[in-house]
Each structure stands twice: as structure tokens, then as C-alpha cells.
């Protein structure tokens, strides 16, 4: 082991650039930092092998291994060596380097991403351990971590999860996440921690007393005299060895510096105790430097990362690399960071911390000047958040605000996602966020994305009054402000669950349409405005307009995978509503691949894709019992989820509860969700959920309660108002209309129900709402059966079967199986049409499978392989899914175990019995 702790990780804002001069229309890739935070550090040059210590610290020997010591004791180096050895043996190793800014949700995502990457590297390609889908989320905090360890439990063999620099955690809630892993992780999960001290709230005493944990401290990590002698290649005399041991007391960092001094032929006389890091660095590292070299070192300590061009630009010199190469005391203390063909380094954190403190104390003016030049240089490279942070360090917070405005204000979110955007907002501070309307809009959007919808709504109302009359101002600055205002107004309406007919929503649409016609806006902004109009068309079932606007937006997003992903989501929702199930599934899958591959820290896109995929699977009758959650997914009860996604998620949860646990269980969840929505003041979602709850009350035979709930919620008295799409979304229309129809059927007001059902079918057909039409046909068949009109019921059923041949939506008939199952059996006995008979048989199989509690729970990857198992070989499946053949066989073994079979043909047959391979879907 060397005397350093090489760790090529840093905070998630200080990333070096991949490209310079990014415009608003360009999409910056995920910051270089993300892979570095989860990468096991490379072996440093001059590594010294301490084999016995590595064996003692091997994480697989016990449940928990803790390396606790001050900086410079080689904790990172030791754990990294253990991990490399394990990885060479085929053991998956996940590494998470902790940062000060890691909030619980961000750390939760890093854990999931690191574990997924570890398994992918060890076993079977990039998707072996996928991030969770929203249908699987349990509703508890740390849901991504929880679902990740469930996947780890299914692996054969040990899995190691390492946390480096754990003392940097600043959020008390994160201790609960780590305690969850320690106490509730599966037996094959082994944890390792490197830290200067354990964070408060993390209790490992029980694990130590039970023999499941070991703590290695400074005494374990110190070099012995024999190791020091070997480290110096046996070149020390007995007297010299004694002197090194006396001065260093075996502290690896100090031993490393001593060897560097010996190699350069220079030694000082200082004798400093090892625990006083700052004194040691001053006397042993800096004391022999010339004044110019010392100043240079203090300057580069202010850089979170550095390359030759950045050093020369900021320090206004042309010899930075040569100067570093001629400073032997830095050997082993400059850590390389990979970034393509560019050589990038950072100082060892211990040295950097000292240099930052020393520079500030000695020459605060120089401290501010270098930070200011760093801020300007990084801003020129398009690194907005890093530039803002250096501006704040320079004592110029107003400059940080200026940088954010230059980067597009609220449109930084559209380019870089929620994590970077919220980091930028935090750097503003409260004073700056309230200093002007444009930065005020940034704070407003950040509050929405943080789930603080009510606070955002109040702040927006104040800003809206300030921004009145901007349309009359034709300046470029006014146009930029109008665009930001329009984006935030749309976010308040969409995330705040505003009624579509509200003044806020209609004002947003009108302004959006006006701005979209302006010839002065850039390509990305035009795309965002077109995208907003696409959402409006989708929500009101004007799908022709929605798809037209989506196509226009897509052309503007050629350089923006982030926004193109959201266009896929919108087009997928239109396809789902229109009954184009295969198109919807393909669009959701494509969007999900982008979300999981490039925007892992922003959980919302992947959660939305998974939610919509689950909704589609339920409509096709294909979702199994394993997707049942105890409530709305945790990721979707933060208040920062758009109406469509929350509606899809909550509807899916209730459907699963109803299907597998009964109507009372579904009602309990509906009331819980409705209570949350009421407290969050999300009016459109309250109406939608009220409709779903009333349908459940009617299904439970509690029609009177349903009618009372309708009245108390202030839902429409007139039938025509239920069908109106001018002031509500099609999901609200569908939920309320189906609820009203069920109440009429429950009261045996058959003529009223018949007339309303006919009007609803006509409205759905006119708007191309195939899903709504098929739901209404299923209800109409149930209505006529209860009314004793067998011929009319059969007519509705036959029309359903005709549509089913084009749109494999078995879900509506599954919901009405109590009324429709016998009708389907009778139809099979009397219908001469083979195509209709095949559709009826398929629907009966779906009904049976939906009630089969034996049905196994399969992961998304297992379902993909299962669909190909009957007609493709392992190598073909591997090539198509981007796996190795070994990875495919690994999943097939898991499938065989879950299905209780031994052969591929048996697996396919059993899957069809359970409805896991849903026809043409």
C-alpha cells in the first residue's frame, strides 16, 4: 500500500467538461463525475502490497468491515485492492464514493446505480440488475435501495457494497439507509465502509458484538517496521529505519512523503506527531518547497480537478504541467481521473483541504481571485454549476446568479435534468433567489421539483403579479423572461394538478401558443413550447394535435436526448389511449433505456416509464400479483409528478389491489391516496381519484356511499358535464363517467345507464379513445346482463371481441368478469366465427390467470427473455438484449426455478398458462 488514499471521486458538481461552448440547443452528456463516484479506484503508481492486511480487510469474510482512521491511513487504497481481487474472482463489487451534497434520495439512487453496474460488469451486461420500476416500489423511504437488495438476494454468491469517505454524509436520514442495509440486507450482501469517523446515527455495536462486523483502526493500518523497510526497497539502514518509524509512527501518508524525500535526496528535521495532519503537511511537504512552488501548490489546491489547459488558463501561465512534473514531493499525491483522451488530476483530498485552508488564511485576496478566474473558465466550458460554486467561494454570489441566467435560467433543467438544476438553485441562496424575477422563477421550479408544490404555488402567485404586462415589451430580455415564466407556469399547472379549464392552465396554453410563433426563440426553446402543446393535446384526447406537436418538438430536440425521451413518453401515452398497444410498449421501452442509461440520478423519467408500462400491461391483462404495492409508489407521492403519470400509477395500484386482494383493500388505498391529494391541493387528481373511489364503492355494493361521495366532492350533476373535454382531461372524463355509469347500474336505473353508456361510447369513438371505448363496452355488457337483456349484452360483447382482435386490452373485461365470464362461455358455444372464438378463449384465459395466486413474479429482464425463449437460442437472445450468453443462461435458470420447470418448452407452456405471455402483445 502506498501512503496515499487514491480516490478518483469528488462532488457531483465539479465535473470537467466533455465539450465547450454548449448552447441551449445542445445536450451535455451525463457529467463525468457519475461513473467516477461508483468506480473502484485504479491501483496507484508505486502501490505497495500489504497482503496480510488485505486478507484481514476482505469484505466477504463477514457481514460488515469498517476501516476507521484519520486521513492518509490508506483506507481507500486497501479497500480498492480488496475489491479488485474480488472482482477478478467474479464477485460483483459496488463502490459508492460519498459526497457532502449526497441527499438521501441522491445516495439512494447512487446505491442502486452502483449495484446495477457491479452486477452488469460481473455477470451479464448493462441491464442485469435494473433500477426498479414504479409498479414495484413499496412506498417506503429508500425504495430504490430496498428493491436493489431484493435483486441482490436473488444472485448466486456474495455481493459486496463499499462506501468510501462515509464521514462526508451530512444528512441524518442517510444513516437510516445504511442501517437498513446492515439490518435487513440479504445474507449474501457484504458491506464495507471507509471513513475518518462513523456518521452519527449509524449503530454497528450489535453487529460487532455478534461477530458479524470488524473495525480496523489506525493501529491496524499503520506500517510495521518490516513493512517500512520493504516499502523503501531495503535501502534504509537500521538507524534510518528507526528515524522514519519515529517520525512517521507508521502513518502511511507520512511514510510515503518520507520515501519521496529520500528519492529526491532531501530531508527536513521536523518531527511532528502523525495525528496533526496540518502540521505534518506544512513541515514535511511544504517546508522544502521554494516560495514559487509553494504558491503554485496552494493555488492548485483550489481546483477540484485540473487539466493542463485549465491550469494554464486560470493561473495565467504556460508551464503548469512541467512545474508539476518537477515537484517530486507530489509523487503519489496527484490522483489521475480518466476523461477520454484528456489527462485530468486532483490533489489528494488531505493535501487539498490543507491548501484551501492555508490559502484562505494567508492571502484571502488570492483565494478569491483564483476562485473567480476558475468560475469564469468553467463557465466558458459550459460547466454552469461548478462555475457557480467557485463564484460563491470567491465571495461573489451575484455572479453565480448571473451565470445561471446566462445558462438559460429555468431551462438549465431541460438541458441537464433535476439533480444539476437543484444544485444550481441551492447555490443561489434565499437572498439571491428573491433578488429578481428570473431567479425567482428558478426557485419556484426547484420547489416544484422538490415536491414542495404548495410553497411553489404561493411563490408563483407573487411572481405572476410582478410579471404582468411583459407581452408589451419587445426586448430580448423580456422575451427570455416570458419564456421562463411560461415554462414555470406550465410546471405549476402540470405538477400542481390544476384543472385543465382553470385560468392558470388556459393562460399557460395561450402564452405557449403565442411564444411558439416567435421567430426569435432558439431551437430548444421552440421544442419545449411545442412539447407543452403536445401535452395539452394528449390530456384532452386531441391526439392528432398531440402527435403533430410531438413531431415538431422532436425535430427541435435532435441534440437533446433528455427532451426526446419525454417526447417518446407522450407519443406512447397517445398510442396507449388509442389502443395501439405495441407502439406504446416500444415507445416506453425506448424512453426507459435512455432514462436508465443517461439520467440515472434523475429518477423521475425511469419511474414514469415504468409506471406507464405497468398501466399498459394491466390493460392487456398481463401484470402479475408481484406488482401490488401498499399505496401509490413512493417516487410518485413527492408532489413533483405530472398529472398523467400520477393518474396512471394510482390507477394501476388500485387495479392490482382490486384484482388480487379485493375491493375493500383497494378502497383502503384509494382513501389513503385521496387524503394525500387533498392535503397537497391537487384538484384535477382529486377529481380523478374521487371517480376511481366511487367506482370501487359501487363495485362493493355500497352505492349509497358512492352517491354521497359524488355529491360531497362537488362532481358534475349533468351527464354532459361528465363527458366534457374542454375543461378536464380525458382520464378525468373516463374515471368520472365510468363511476357515474356504475352508480346507475347499482341503483338499477337501467334506462338512465343505457342512455349514458351510449353517449360515452359515442364520445370515446369520436375522440379515438379506444381504451375508454372498450371499458364502456365491458360495462355496457354487464349492464344489459343485469337488466336481463341477453341479446343486447351479447351485442356489446361481440363488438368488444371485434376490437380485441386489433387492441389486446383484456383488462376491461377482467374487471367485469363476474358478469361477463359466463357470457363468454355461452358465446363460445354459439359463435361460428373462428376469429371471435379465438378472442373469447384468450380473454377467458386472461380472466383465469388474473385470479391465479400461484402466478410468479418476474423482473422486466426475465419477461424479455421469456418472450424469446420459445423461438430463439441463447446467443440470439444475448445479441438482441445486449447481454452475454452467460447472462442469458443465468436468467433462464432463475426463470426455471420460478416457474417450477426444467426445460425451455415447459417454461413457455407454463408461462402461457399463467398469462405471462399475453398473446400478440
Amino acid at each position: 500500500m502506498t501512503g496515499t488514499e487514491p480516490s478518483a471521486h469528488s462532488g457531483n458538481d465539479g465535473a470537467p467538461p466533455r465539450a465547450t461552448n454548449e448552447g441551449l440547443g445542445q445536450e451535455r452528456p451525463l457529467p463525468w463525475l457519475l461513473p467516477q463516484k461508483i468506480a473502484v479506484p485504479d491501483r496507484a503508481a508505486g502501490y505497495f502490497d500489504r497482503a496480510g492486511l488485505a486478507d484481514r480487510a476482505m469484505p466477504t469474510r463477514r457481514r460488515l468491515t469498517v476501516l476507521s482512521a484519520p486521513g492518509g491511513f490508506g483506507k481507500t487504497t486497501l479497500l480498492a485492492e480488496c475489491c479488485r481481487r474480488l472482482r477478478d474472482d467474479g464477485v460483483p463489487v459496488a463502490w459508492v464514493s460519498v459526497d457532502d451534497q449526497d441527499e438521501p434520495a441522491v445516495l439512494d439512487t447512487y446505491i442502486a446505480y452502483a449495484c446495477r453496474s457491479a452486477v452488469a460488469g460481473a455477470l451479464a451486461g448493462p441491464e442485469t440488475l435494473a433500477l426498479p420500476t414504479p409498479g414495484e416500489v413499496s412506498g417506503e423511504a429508500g425504495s430504490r435501495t430496498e428493491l436493489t437488495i431484493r435483486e441482490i438476494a436473488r444472485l448466486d454468491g456474495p455481493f459486496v457494497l463499499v462506501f468510501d469517505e462515509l464521514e462526508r454524509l451530512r444528512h441524518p436520514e442517510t444513516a437510516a439507509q445504511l442501517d437498513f442495509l446492515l439490518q435487513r440486507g440479504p445474507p449474501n450482501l457484504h458491506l464495507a465502509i471507509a471513513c475518518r469517523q462513523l456518521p452519527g446515527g449509524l449503530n454497528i455495536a450489535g453487529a460487532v458484538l455478534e461477530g458479524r462486523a470488524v473495525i480496523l483502526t489506525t493501529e491496524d493500518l499503520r506500517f510495521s517496521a518490516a513493512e517500512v523497510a520493504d516499502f523503501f526497497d531495503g535501502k534504509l539502514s537500521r538507524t534510518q529505519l528507526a528515524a522514519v518509524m519515529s517520525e512517521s509512527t507508521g502513518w502511511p501518508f507520512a511514510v510515503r512523503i518520507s520515501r519521496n524525500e529520500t528519492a529526491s535526496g532531501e530531508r527536513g528535521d521536523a518531527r511532528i506527531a502523525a495525528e496533526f495532519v496540518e502540521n505534518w503537511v506544512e513541515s514535511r511537504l511544504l517546508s522544502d518547497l521554494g516560495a514559487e512552488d509553494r504558491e503554485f501548490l496552494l493555488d492548485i489546491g483550489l481546483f477540484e480537478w485540473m487539466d493542463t489547459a485549465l491550469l494554464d488558463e486560470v493561473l495565467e501561465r504556460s508551464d503548469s504541467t512541467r512545474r508539476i512534473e518537477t515537484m517530486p514531493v507530489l509523487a503519489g499525491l496527484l490522483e489521475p481521473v480518466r476523461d477520454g483522451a484528456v489527462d485530468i488530476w486532483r490533489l489528494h483530498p488531505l493535501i487539498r483541504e490543507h491548501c484551501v485552508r492555508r490559502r484562505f488564511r494567508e492571502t484571502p485576496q488570492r483565494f478569491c481571485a483564483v476562485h473567480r478566474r476558475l468560475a469564469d473558465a468553467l463557465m466558458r466550458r459550459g460547466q454552469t454549476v461548478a462555475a457557480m460554486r467557485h463564484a460563491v467561494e470567491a465571495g461573489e454570489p451575484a455572479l453565480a446568479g448571473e451565470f445561471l441566467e446566462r445558462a438559460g435560467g429555468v431551462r438549465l433543467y431541460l438541458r441537464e435534468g433535476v439533480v444539476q438544476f437543484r444544485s444550481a438553485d441551492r447555490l443561489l441562496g434565499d437572498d439571491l433567489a428573491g433578488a429578481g424575477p428570473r431567479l425567482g422563477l428558478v426557485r419556484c421550479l426547484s420547489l416544484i421539483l422538490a415536491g414542495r408544490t404548495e410553497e411553489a404555488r404561493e411563490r408563483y402567485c407573487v411572481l405572476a403579479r410582478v410579471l404582468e404586462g411583459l407581452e408589451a415589451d419587445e426586448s430580448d430580455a423580456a422575451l427570455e423572461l416570458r419564456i421562463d415564466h411560461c415554462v414555470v407556469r406550465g410546471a405549476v399547472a402540470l405538477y400542481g394538478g390544476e384543472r385543465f379549464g382553470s385560468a392558470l392552465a388556459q393562460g399557460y396554453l395561450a402564452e405557449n401558443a403565442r411564444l411558439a410563433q416567435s421567430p426569435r426563440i432558439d431551437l430548444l426553446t421552440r421544442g419545449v413550447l411545442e412539447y407543452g402543446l403536445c401535452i395539452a393535446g394528449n390530456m384532452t384526447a386531441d391526439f392528432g394535435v398531440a402527435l403533430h406537436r410531438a413531431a415538431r418538438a422532436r425535430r427541435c430536440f435532435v441534440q437533446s436526448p433528455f427532451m426526446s425521451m419525454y417526447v417518446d413518453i407522450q407519443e406512447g401515452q397517445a398510442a396507449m389511449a388509442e389502443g395501439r398497444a405495441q407502439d406504446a410498449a416500444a415507445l416506453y421501452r425506448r424512453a426507459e433505456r435512455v432514462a436508465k442509461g443517461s439520467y440515472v440520478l434523475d429518477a423521475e423519467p425511469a419511474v414514469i416509464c415504468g409506471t406507464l408500462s405497468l398501466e399498459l400491461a394491466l390493460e392487456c391483462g398481463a401484470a402479475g400479483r408481484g406488482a401490488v404495492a401498499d399505496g401509490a409508489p413512493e417516487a410518485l407521492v413527492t408532489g413533483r409528478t405530472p398529472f398523467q403519470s400520477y393518474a396512471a400509477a394510482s390507477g394501476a395500484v388500485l387495479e392490482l389491489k382490486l384484482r388480487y386482494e379485493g375491493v375493500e383493500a383497494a378502497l383502503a388505498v384509494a382513501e389513503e391516496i385521496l387524503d394525500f391529494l387533498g392535503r397537497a391541493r391537487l384538484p384535477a387528481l382529486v377529481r380523478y381519484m374521487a371517480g376511481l373511489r366511487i367506482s370501487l364503492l359501487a363495485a362493493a355494493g355500497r352505492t349509497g356511499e358512492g352517491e354521497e361521495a359524488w355529491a360531497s366532492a362537488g362532481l358534475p350533476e349533468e351527464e354532459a358535464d361528465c363527458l366534457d373535454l374542454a375543461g378536464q382531461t380525458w382520464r378525468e372524463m373516463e374515471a368520472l363517467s365510468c363511476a357515474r355509469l356504475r352508480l346507475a347500474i347499482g341503483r338499477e336505473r337501467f334506462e338512465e345507464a343505457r342512455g349514458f353508456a351510449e353517449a360515452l361510447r359515442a364520445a370515446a369513438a369520436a375522440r379515438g379513445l379506444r381504451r375508454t371505448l372498450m371499458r364502456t363496452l365491458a360495462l355496457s355488457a354487464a349492464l344489459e346482463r343485469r337488466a336481463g337483456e341477453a341479446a343486447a349484452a351479447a351485442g356489446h360483447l361481440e363488438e368488444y371481441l371485434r376490437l380485441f382482435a386489433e387492441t389486446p386490452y383484456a383488462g376491461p373485461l377482467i374487471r367485469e368478469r363476474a358478469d361477463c365470464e359466463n357470457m363468454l362461455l355461452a358465446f363460445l358455444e354459439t359463435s361460428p366465427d373462428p376469429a371471435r372464438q379465438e378472442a373469447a378463449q384468450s380473454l377467458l384465459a386472461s380472466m383465469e390467470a388474473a385470479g391465479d395466486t400461484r402466478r410468479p413474479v418476474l423482473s422486466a429482464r426475465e419477461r424479455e427473455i421469456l418472450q424469446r425463449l420459445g423461438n430463439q437460442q441463447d446467443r440470439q437472445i444475448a445479441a438482441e438484449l445486449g447481454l452475454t450468453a452467460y447472462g442469458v443462461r443465468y436468467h433462464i435458470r432463475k426463470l426455471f426455478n420460478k416457474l417450477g420447470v426444467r426445460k425451455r418448452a415447459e417454461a413457455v407452456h407454463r408461462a402461457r398458462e399463467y398469462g405471462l405471455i399475453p398473446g400478440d402483445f
Side-chain angles (χ1 to χ4, degrees):
M1 178 183 297
T2 64
T4 66
E5 293 183 69
S7 174
H9 312 284
S10 63
N12 54 325
D13 301 327
R18 289 181 177 271
T20 60
N21 300 323
E22 294 177 64
L24 275 177
Q26 296 176 296
E27 178 66 17
R28 188 170 60 82
L30 194 68
W32 69 277
L33 172 68
L34 178 58
Q36 295 301 328
K37 277 180 65 71
I38 65 163
V40 176
D42 294 333
R43 182 177 287 166
Y47 171 78
F48 178 71
D49 187 17
R50 303 173 73 186
L53 184 59
D55 289 340
R56 289 179 61 196
M58 194 61 65
T60 50
R61 296 185 61 178
R62 59 194 69 84
R63 173 65 155 195
L64 173 65
T65 302
V66 178
L67 276 59
S68 179
F73 270 87
K75 304 179 292 295
T76 300
T77 299
L78 177 58
L79 273 185
E81 179 63 20
C82 292
C83 291
R84 286 191 292 270
R85 294 184 186 183
L86 289 170
R87 196 169 53 189
D88 290 343
D89 291 336
V91 176
V93 175
W95 183 285
V96 178
S97 185
V98 177
D99 287 329
D100 297 342
Q101 295 96 349
D102 284 349
E103 298 176 345
V106 173
L107 181 63
D108 187 36
T109 304
Y110 268 129
I111 293 170
Y113 183 52
C115 291
R116 182 190 72 171
S117 301
V119 177
L123 294 178
E127 294 283 335
T128 302
L129 184 62
L131 289 176
T133 60
E136 299 167 320
V137 176
S138 68
E140 298 178 8
S143 55
R144 286 181 287 272
T145 299
E146 180 182 357
L147 281 160
T148 298
I149 66 172
R150 289 181 190 170
E151 289 294 320
I152 290 171
R154 300 172 186 170
L155 300 176
D156 295 325
F159 185 100
V160 174
L161 175 55
V162 178
F163 294 95
D164 189 30
E165 297 183 275
L166 194 67
E167 74 281 350
R168 300 180 71 179
L169 288 181
R170 293 292 181 265
H171 296 270
E173 297 89 347
T174 52
Q177 290 174 274
L178 301 181
D179 193 64
F180 175 86
L181 291 169
L182 178 61
Q183 303 302 331
R184 297 177 59 185
N188 64 328
L189 176 62
H190 301 271
L191 302 172
I193 292 172
C195 60
R196 299 187 185 184
Q197 60 182 12
L198 286 169
L202 181 60
N203 183 8
I204 66 170
V208 173
L209 292 173
E210 294 165 5
R212 297 184 297 120
V214 68
I215 303 176
L216 301 182
T217 64
T218 54
E219 296 309 310
D220 303 291
L221 300 175
R222 290 185 194 280
F223 272 51
S224 66
E227 288 175 321
V228 171
D230 289 341
F231 187 59
F232 279 75
D233 300 321
K235 296 178 180 179
L236 294 180
S237 67
R238 184 174 298 179
T239 302
Q240 289 172 324
L241 176 59
V244 171
M245 288 301 298
S246 175
E247 293 177 7
S248 69
T249 65
W251 181 32
F253 179 70
V255 173
R256 174 71 183 190
I257 292 176
S258 294
R259 194 177 77 162
N260 289 349
E261 292 174 337
T262 299
S264 65
E266 301 173 0
R267 282 186 62 81
D269 297 323
R271 302 172 58 85
I272 308 296
E275 59 268 30
F276 297 109
V277 175
E278 184 168 338
N279 289 340
W280 180 274
V281 172
E282 273 296 318
S283 59
R284 309 295 289 143
L285 178 63
L286 302 184
S287 62
D288 291 327
L289 291 177
E292 189 175 351
D293 281 348
R294 184 178 185 279
E295 288 298 299
F296 178 75
L297 182 58
L298 293 183
D299 279 346
I300 67 175
L302 303 184
F303 290 66
E304 293 178 70
W305 58 269
M306 64 195 85
D307 61 39
T308 300
L310 185 64
L311 282 170
D312 286 347
E313 179 181 356
V314 173
L315 300 183
E316 300 175 326
R317 58 193 311 147
S318 59
D319 63 344
S320 299
T321 301
R322 186 166 59 255
R323 178 168 290 279
I324 288 174
E325 291 172 349
T326 58
M327 295 174 66
V329 295
L330 292 181
L333 303 180
L334 270 179
E335 301 173 349
V337 178
R338 287 195 179 93
D339 185 49
V342 181
D343 290 329
I344 296 174
W345 320 276
R346 73 164 187 169
L347 272 176
H348 186 285
L350 199 65
I351 306 301
R352 183 173 180 272
E353 290 169 11
H354 172 82
C355 290
V356 169
R357 290 192 298 269
R358 180 62 64 180
R359 171 58 76 203
F360 183 76
R361 285 201 302 264
E362 291 183 0
T363 51
Q365 298 87 354
R366 178 70 177 174
F367 176 91
C368 293
V370 173
H371 272 301
R372 170 60 195 259
R373 290 205 294 267
L374 259 171
D376 289 334
L378 290 171
M379 192 62 198
R380 285 190 290 271
R381 293 178 173 215
Q383 296 292 309
T384 304
V385 177
M388 290 176 65
R389 187 170 54 254
H390 282 289
V392 171
E393 290 286 354
E396 299 186 50
L399 180 64
E402 179 186 326
F403 284 163
L404 183 52
E405 291 189 358
R406 282 164 50 187
V410 300
R411 281 165 283 170
L412 182 70
Y413 165 62
L414 306 174
R415 289 171 46 212
E416 301 190 19
V418 63
V419 173
Q420 288 290 88
F421 179 75
R422 292 195 60 210
S423 295
D425 174 66
R426 283 193 295 271
L427 289 166
L428 288 179
D430 291 339
D431 291 343
L432 202 55
R438 198 164 186 205
L439 295 181
L441 289 168
V442 167
R443 173 57 52 87
C444 186
L445 181 58
S446 182
L447 289 170
I448 293 171
L449 297 175
R452 295 158 63 181
T453 312
E454 184 59 29
E455 190 176 344
R457 189 183 284 115
E458 292 174 359
R459 181 178 286 262
Y460 171 76
C461 289
V462 174
L463 286 168
R465 289 192 291 271
V466 174
L467 295 170
E468 287 179 357
L470 269 179
E471 294 84 353
D473 189 338
E474 297 184 358
S475 68
D476 290 342
L479 179 63
E480 291 295 304
L481 192 53
R482 283 178 63 193
I483 292 168
D484 284 5
H485 182 200
C486 186
V487 170
V488 173
R489 178 156 47 179
V492 172
L494 187 63
Y495 289 82
E498 286 288 323
R499 291 283 311 280
F500 199 80
S502 70
L504 179 64
Q506 292 301 309
Y508 159 70
L509 291 174
E511 176 70 345
N512 194 325
R514 284 192 294 268
L515 288 170
Q517 301 303 314
S518 172
R520 296 159 55 200
I521 58 177
D522 62 81
L523 197 63
L524 177 63
T525 300
R526 188 176 304 282
V528 170
L529 296 172
E530 294 286 357
Y531 174 74
L533 296 172
C534 164
I535 292 176
N538 246 347
M539 293 178 73
T540 56
D542 198 345
F543 298 120
V545 169
L547 294 175
H548 173 68
R549 295 292 184 176
R552 291 169 64 97
R554 192 181 294 280
R555 289 195 292 270
C556 298
F557 294 150
V558 172
Q559 301 297 322
S560 177
F562 182 74
M563 292 305 300
S564 295
M565 168 184 66
Y566 277 105
V567 174
D568 281 342
I569 290 171
Q570 289 300 320
E571 289 185 344
Q573 289 182 84
M576 180 278 300
E578 291 182 310
R580 296 182 286 112
Q582 289 183 331
D583 291 346
L587 287 160
Y588 293 158
R589 282 195 299 268
R590 185 166 73 182
E592 190 167 23
R593 282 196 297 271
V594 175
K596 290 183 176 180
S598 300
Y599 299 98
V600 178
L601 284 184
D602 187 354
E604 183 184 314
V607 169
I608 289 173
C609 292
T611 292
L612 296 172
S613 295
L614 174 62
E615 178 188 45
L616 179 63
L618 278 167
E619 208 63 25
C620 292
R625 181 182 180 88
V628 180
D630 293 330
E634 177 69 17
L636 297 181
V637 295
T638 61
R640 71 174 190 90
T641 303
F643 171 87
Q644 294 160 293
S645 304
Y646 193 97
S650 53
V653 168
L654 297 185
E655 179 66 28
L656 287 165
K657 284 286 183 180
L658 177 64
R659 186 178 295 184
Y660 295 111
E661 297 181 20
V663 67
E664 294 301 329
L667 273 169
V669 175
E671 287 160 6
E672 173 191 329
I673 296 174
L674 194 55
D675 178 65
F676 164 75
L677 295 174
R679 286 185 283 105
R681 292 180 58 191
L682 303 172
L685 282 166
V686 167
R687 279 168 51 89
Y688 168 79
M689 183 53 59
L692 296 186
R693 177 173 176 266
I694 291 167
S695 281
L696 290 171
L697 287 169
R702 295 155 59 180
T703 308
E705 288 183 52
E707 291 172 334
E708 291 175 5
W710 187 282
S712 64
L715 298 178
E717 296 182 4
E718 299 297 326
E719 291 181 354
D721 292 336
C722 282
L723 302 175
D724 172 47
L725 280 171
Q728 64 180 345
T729 67
W730 72 262
R731 288 181 183 270
E732 289 173 86
M733 183 274 283
E734 180 187 81
L736 295 178
S737 296
C738 287
R740 190 180 193 108
L741 187 53
R742 289 181 188 280
L743 289 177
I745 295 171
R747 286 297 189 191
E748 299 186 352
R749 299 195 299 267
F750 296 131
E751 282 302 319
E752 175 189 331
R754 192 173 287 121
F756 185 65
E758 182 179 356
L760 180 54
R761 293 195 303 272
R767 289 290 188 137
L769 279 165
R770 178 64 61 88
R771 182 182 104 159
T772 306
L773 177 58
M774 293 181 76
R775 290 186 174 195
T776 311
L777 281 169
L779 275 170
S780 297
L783 157 66
E784 299 298 355
R785 190 202 70 81
R786 294 192 190 186
E789 299 291 340
H796 293 310
L797 183 61
E798 187 161 355
E799 176 63 9
Y800 189 101
L801 292 171
R802 184 187 70 78
L803 296 177
F804 185 76
E806 303 171 357
T807 300
Y809 285 175
L813 220 57
I814 290 173
R815 295 181 193 97
E816 313 306 326
R817 63 179 178 267
D819 287 301
C820 295
E821 189 167 11
N822 287 334
M823 284 194 290
L824 273 175
L825 290 168
F827 181 87
L828 282 172
E829 294 175 358
T830 58
S831 174
D833 186 340
R836 297 286 192 273
Q837 283 206 342
E838 183 180 351
Q841 288 170 344
S842 176
L843 283 164
L844 283 169
S846 295
M847 288 180 180
E848 183 179 353
D852 193 341
T853 58
R854 301 170 300 160
R855 193 178 189 190
V857 180
L858 302 182
S859 69
R861 178 63 80 201
E862 288 165 349
R863 290 194 295 271
E864 289 177 335
I865 291 175
L866 179 60
Q867 290 170 2
R868 295 163 174 80
L869 204 57
N871 54 19
Q872 293 184 12
Q873 298 300 313
D874 292 353
R875 291 183 182 277
Q876 293 173 299
I877 297 173
E880 191 168 318
L881 298 181
L883 302 175
T884 65
Y886 174 86
V888 172
R889 290 192 290 273
Y890 166 82
H891 285 294
I892 289 175
R893 286 197 302 271
K894 293 177 68 178
L895 277 169
F896 284 3
N897 288 335
K898 290 183 177 183
L899 294 169
V901 299
R902 295 184 178 181
K903 298 180 180 179
R904 297 167 81 100
E906 292 175 354
V908 173
H909 178 71
R910 184 67 53 81
R912 285 177 177 154
E913 285 183 346
Y914 288 151
L916 295 170
I917 306 178
D920 296 331
F921 172 60

